[in-house]
Structures are given as structure tokens and as C-alpha cells.
Amino acid sequence: MSLLTLGCCGSAGMYGQRTPNIVLILADDLGYGDVSAYGARTIATPNIDGLARGGISFTNGHASSATSTPSRYALLTGMYPWRRRANILPGDAPLIIGEEQETLPKMLRRAGYRTAAIGKWHLGMGRGRINWNELIAPGAREVGFDYSCILSATVDRVPTVYVENGRVLGLDPSDPIEVSYQKPFDGEPTARTNPELMTRMRYSHGHDQTVVNGIPRIGYMRGGKSAVWKDDEMADFLVGKVREYIDTVAKDRPFFLYYGLHEPHVPRVPANRFVGASGMGPRGDAIVEADWCVGEVVKALEKEGLLDNTLVIFTSDNGPVLDDGYADEAPELAARAGHDMNGGLRGGKYSLFEAGTRVPFFVYWRGSVAPQRSDALFSQHDLFASLAALVHQTVPEGLDSENHLGALLGRSGKSRKAMIVEASGRLALRYGRYALVPPYRGAKKNATGNELGVVDHYALYDLEADPAQQHEVTESHPRLVRKLRKQFLKLVGEYYQEEKQQEALQ
Ligand code: NG6
Ligand code: CA
């Protein structure tokens, strides 16, 4: 049956049933080695493993970028983020997705879906100079989400409040919120002026501005006391919103739910009941908490009788990091436990090496997707075109997203051949079994200790023979290096700036 002959929403689809609900769970900084599904024995993630075991476990699933904003931009727009020079946003940044721009949720809406975004956002909101005390627009709604309850940026950035449908949740109008990323508010303490305020956690680098809940953050904020989130209740709060949405959304049409977990990004402050759960301190405990959240989502779907008609996708926005700016002993505790967050890959968050973007990636659809392991190269930005094919929609011309629905549902081994990955504005190529990492000037590592890339030449790695990227094959494959370099420059075109690549950005 051809896709073109099929109707739109709710019709019997390509795989013989109504188009499914789609739940996309996106963890924050979860590494390839941070889930037991790929064999890690130092951490137990039974709920995530349940999706992996009952569905497709991708061994070569990628985020488009090694940091959050660009990665999420690519996932939601199907465009490479470096075309737009997307980089990590502050909490008061304007929306970086154009209001007219086609997006994954808009496409699903056209297919009859109800849409919701809950959790981490990090794509900006408003048009600049946000008044946090009024309706903030454009935002998630204009990107295509009917309902939203989101963190504007990251847990370590102000404002430390939830924004529900464009309004700060729980705000008392007599105590307005002000936010600045330029300078502290007169007379307001910061982590630098008043280090004694850091009662819950101290910073190791950066994060020395406004202190909220005893935790120093990036950016300055004052007011809005009644709206400030409680860090150790965030998982319960967000999963509560997710449960509520799944329970109450009208079931006459399918829904698309984007759930941005905040774990295990810094600051790691899991609920009390998870403290000590991993034996690895806050980072491990935050992963156990995230795993619990995933279990709650599955339970909620089960309770509503939706598991057979819901495609659940679980992945992470970028690779992992131990010390991302807070002194929570993550490096020491991981070493003591023998935990390799990278799962044997090189690099990590911020890196052009494999662990920057190769992330946990699982697709679960009970009764429709056969349990299996897949080595297909699949990038999150291909979800747009692939899901469009699933729900019989077309996508705009010129998208970077490619339709690999067959690979996504485990019905074909065919998938993307070449892919550009990005880390803090620097670019590299994946081509079949090879990775080509172009040079840049600057430090080999950043303050996190993660290795960023190669400093002075185009480096070629054979990922099949050497997934850990320990041995370059640059010298033994000069023709291939030339060919892939050409291919790389062709793909990145005018967007590749040698100088940009050479600036140490992050
Ligand atoms: C960095 C922050 C880091 C984290 C990251 C964004 C410092 C020193 N480091 O600039 O803590 O917030 O930005 O992470 O401030 S991401 O996963 O959202 O991309
Ligand atoms: Ca992230």
C-alpha cells in the first residue's frame, strides 16, 4: 500500500492501525554508558531497559549536537542547528525557532494530533526583553504545542520557575520577577558576594551568580518568590504534569507528548527518596530518578490502555559530563564505582568525538515494533521526516531531516549514510563506519575534563573497528580522508567557517 493512498488522521495507517500517539522522552546529558540497557553494570535503569528490551535498541543513535539548544532545535525543526548558529541559550533568550517555521509538532498537528511539551525547553521564548510577569509569547504554542509546562532553559539558569502556557506558574503579581544576564540587581547577593548562601551545593566553575534554594545559578534574578521551583520536587512535578496530560487529554485524536527530563543535568538534586539510590552520589541518583520517571510514563499509558497504540521514543539531548560546574563529586564517585558514562566511547558532552552525540536511543511500540537491536545510523533530526511518513504528511523542501521510518520502526536496515554533528559551533562528519573530525585551535579539553576533538589536522576513525576512537586511520587512508573532507565541505558549504571551527567556544 502506498502512503499517498492513505487518508490522514486516525485512519488505518501503513502498519494497519490508527496513527499512534507519540511520546518522546528526551533526557538531559544522559550518556551512552548511563543506562544498563547497553550492558552497563554500574547503574540500574530497569524502566528504560524495559523500553529497550521490548523495542528497538539503537546502538548508533545520535543527537545532532553535543549540547542542548542546538540538539533540540534540530529535533524539533528537522534542520541542522549550525545553519542558524544555534548555541546554548541563556534563560532570557528570544525564541530561536521562527514562528513561520515548520516544526515536528506543527506537522503532527496537521495530521490531527494534540500536542504538548512538558519539561526542559531551552529554545528561548519571547522576542527579547521578556516581561516575566505577563503572557510570554511567542513560545511553545507558536512552535506547535497546544499545551506546555516548561523550564525556559536549564535547571542551572534563571529564572528558576515553570512557564505554563506562556505564564509563570504560581507568580504573585505583588512580587514580580526580574531577570538579567548582564549585571546583578543592586543590593542583591550573589554566590560571589555571599558564598554562605550556597547551603545546598557549591559551584566548581561558572554558576556564581544568583543563589536559589541554596544552589548558585547562571544569571541574575530577583522577586517571584512564590513561583520558584523546588529542585528536589521537580521530577515529581513534571511527571505529575505528564500523568495528568495522559489521563485527561481527549482521546478522540492521537496525541504527541514531548517530555524533556531535567536529569542528569546539573545541578543534580534528586528527590530525597532517591538520595543514595545509585551509590554514586547525585549524578547516579538523578539517573535512577529519571528512570523512575520513565516507568511512571509507561504506567500512565498502561493505565489508560494506550500502550498498544503509543510509539514511545526515549533518547538524550547530548552526551554526558561529570563536572559541569558544580562540586558534587561526580568525577570521584563515578571513578570509585567504575562507572563509564560514555559506555566506551570517546569524548562526552561538548565533544566532536563519538560520546558527544551518540546517545541512548530506544523505540518502543508494544505489538507493532519487534524487539531488536539496530546498528542503523539514526539522528534525532530524522524523526521529523520519519514521523511525517508515519502519519502521512509531507515535509517542506530543503529540510535536513531524512525519512528513515523503516529504520525507526525496525523494518529496514537502511538508514542515513552521512551526517554532520556539531559541538559548540564546531562541525564533524559521520560517514558510514567512519568519523572525520576536522581540526580546531584551542584546548583539547574544556573545564569539564571532556575531550573536545582534535587540534591540528583532519582525523579519521573507523568506528566499526575502533568505536573508542583510540587509533586514527588518517595516515593509512589518505584517499579516504581526501574524499570525506570533500564530502564534509560540500555538506556544510558556506556554513563552515574555518575561523569558527578554530575558536574555542564552550
Ligand atoms: C554551560 C554550563 C553548563 C551547562 C551547559 C548547558 C558553565 C560553566 N557551564 O555553559 O553547566 O549549563 O552550559 O548544558 O556555566 S546543556 O545541556 O543545556 O547544553
Ligand atoms: Ca543537555
Side-chain angles (χ1 to χ4, degrees):
M1 202 190 316
S2 136
L3 283 181
L4 296 172
T5 62
L6 292 167
C8 147
C9 43
S11 62
M14 185 179 182
Y15 298 115
Q17 55 222 70
R18 202 179 95 140
T19 49
N21 307 307
I22 301 169
V23 175
L24 174 59
I25 309 176
L26 190 62
D28 193 0
D29 296 3
L30 188 72
Y32 194 79
D34 281 329
V35 290
S36 39
Y38 294 121
R41 291 175 185 278
T42 41
I43 188 126
T45 52
N47 293 301
I48 297 170
D49 296 8
L51 300 179
R53 258 200 319 275
I56 310 173
S57 188
F58 284 87
T59 60
N60 207 2
H62 281 260
S64 83
S65 299
T67 58
S68 155
T69 301
S71 163
R72 287 161 205 263
Y73 178 87
L75 192 158
L76 288 182
T77 66
M79 294 299 292
Y80 279 129
W82 37 269
R83 297 197 190 285
R84 203 187 178 296
R85 312 224 183 284
N87 215 325
I88 300 171
L89 291 179
D92 64 348
L95 180 65
I96 57 161
I97 298 178
E99 282 177 67
E100 298 313 308
Q101 198 171 341
E102 182 65 350
T103 66
L104 171 62
K106 281 184 193 168
M107 178 279 291
L108 290 171
R109 206 142 74 173
R110 274 208 317 277
Y113 278 66
R114 301 181 189 283
T115 56
I118 295 172
K120 179 169 176 178
W121 179 244
H122 214 186
L123 293 158
M125 46 179 71
R127 296 199 176 90
R129 297 186 60 89
I130 298 173
N131 181 343
W132 295 93
N133 309 289
E134 294 176 348
L135 180 71
I136 303 158
R141 173 169 295 276
E142 288 70 19
V143 169
F145 292 104
D146 308 335
Y147 170 79
S148 61
C149 186
I150 54 182
L151 285 60
S152 79
T154 56
V155 190
D156 58 355
R157 284 169 173 72
V158 302
T160 49
V161 296
Y162 301 113
V163 178
E164 188 172 44
N165 293 330
R167 290 191 188 275
V168 171
L169 196 69
L171 187 67
D172 172 357
S174 68
D175 179 28
I177 300 192
E178 290 171 277
V179 171
S180 167
Y181 276 74
Q182 262 72 53
K183 54 180 177 42
F185 293 101
D186 283 347
E188 292 285 315
T190 68
R192 288 231 174 243
T193 62
N194 293 65
E196 75 284 358
L197 293 175
M198 293 186 280
T199 52
R200 183 102 202 208
M201 205 179 274
R202 304 179 81 83
Y203 60 85
S204 56
H205 55 275
H207 306 99
D208 58 358
Q209 303 180 340
T210 292
V211 182
V212 183
N213 299 339
I215 302 166
R217 318 271 170 162
I218 307 173
Y220 303 102
M221 164 175 160
R222 75 172 166 196
K225 291 277 179 289
S226 61
V228 167
W229 68 49
K230 295 195 169 58
D231 292 86
D232 56 358
E233 292 175 11
M234 188 172 284
D236 284 328
F237 174 82
L238 293 176
V239 95
K241 289 285 178 190
V242 164
R243 265 195 228 109
E244 191 184 325
Y245 184 79
I246 293 173
D247 287 355
T248 60
V249 64
K251 307 293 191 307
D252 57 332
R253 297 199 255 136
F255 64 83
F256 168 56
L257 170 62
Y258 169 89
Y259 176 21
L261 292 167
H262 70 287
E263 300 101 339
H265 193 282
V266 294
R268 300 151 184 148
V269 189
N272 278 339
R273 64 185 186 281
F274 295 109
V275 172
S278 69
M280 244 190 279
R283 184 171 190 279
D285 296 347
I287 294 172
V288 173
E289 180 179 75
D291 182 70
W292 172 80
C293 293
V294 171
E296 291 304 292
V297 177
V298 173
K299 261 196 228 158
L301 292 168
E302 178 95 84
K303 183 174 143 258
E304 290 295 308
L306 298 173
L307 263 191
D308 293 325
N309 196 33
T310 303
L311 174 65
V312 182
I313 302 169
F314 176 89
T315 186
S316 173
D317 69 337
N318 53 252
V321 59
L322 293 171
D323 178 356
D324 209 9
Y326 289 91
D328 64 0
E329 289 188 276
E332 296 77 11
L333 292 165
R336 195 182 307 157
H339 179 68
D340 174 15
M341 62 178 182
N342 286 351
L345 304 174
R346 187 169 175 185
K349 182 176 180 178
Y350 309 111
S351 177
L352 286 175
F353 290 121
E354 201 64 3
T357 55
R358 197 196 292 190
V359 286
F361 202 122
F362 309 115
V363 171
Y364 178 87
W365 182 1
R366 198 170 70 182
S368 290
V369 152
Q372 62 198 278
R373 218 177 155 91
S374 169
D375 297 329
L377 177 63
F378 198 96
S379 174
Q380 289 168 5
H381 79 287
D382 290 333
L383 286 173
F384 191 161
S386 306
L387 293 175
L390 176 70
V391 303
H392 329 303
Q393 292 294 313
T394 53
V395 296
E397 300 227 330
L399 274 201
D400 293 311
S401 183
E402 293 178 6
N403 169 14
H404 294 296
L405 181 61
L408 183 69
L409 299 183
R411 289 154 210 246
S412 153
K414 216 182 125 283
S415 69
R416 174 179 277 281
K417 176 103 183 152
M419 178 176 98
I420 300 295
V421 294
E422 182 264 347
S424 304
R426 303 189 190 95
L427 307 173
L429 176 73
R430 293 285 177 279
Y431 191 86
R433 62 192 285 180
Y434 295 102
L436 183 75
V437 181
Y440 64 89
R441 196 187 303 131
K444 276 189 174 173
K445 294 183 173 188
N446 65 3
T448 67
N450 281 357
E451 279 190 287
L452 302 179
V454 173
V455 172
D456 53 7
H457 63 286
Y458 277 84
L460 183 69
Y461 299 91
D462 177 347
L463 295 170
E464 238 166 74
D466 173 31
Q469 294 177 299
Q470 293 302 301
H471 312 284
E472 283 186 37
V473 293
T474 316
E475 283 182 14
S476 54
H477 292 63
R479 280 191 28 224
L480 186 60
V481 172
R482 274 199 301 278
K483 179 185 142 184
L484 293 189
R485 185 180 166 183
K486 241 193 192 155
Q487 174 84 14
F488 170 72
L489 292 171
K490 193 173 130 212
L491 284 172
V492 298
E494 67 202 80
Y495 296 94
Y496 181 72
Q497 299 169 305
E498 194 87 9
E499 328 84 70
K500 197 88 189 165
Q501 187 90 359
Q502 299 201 347
E503 252 170 47
L505 277 175
Q506 147 53 45

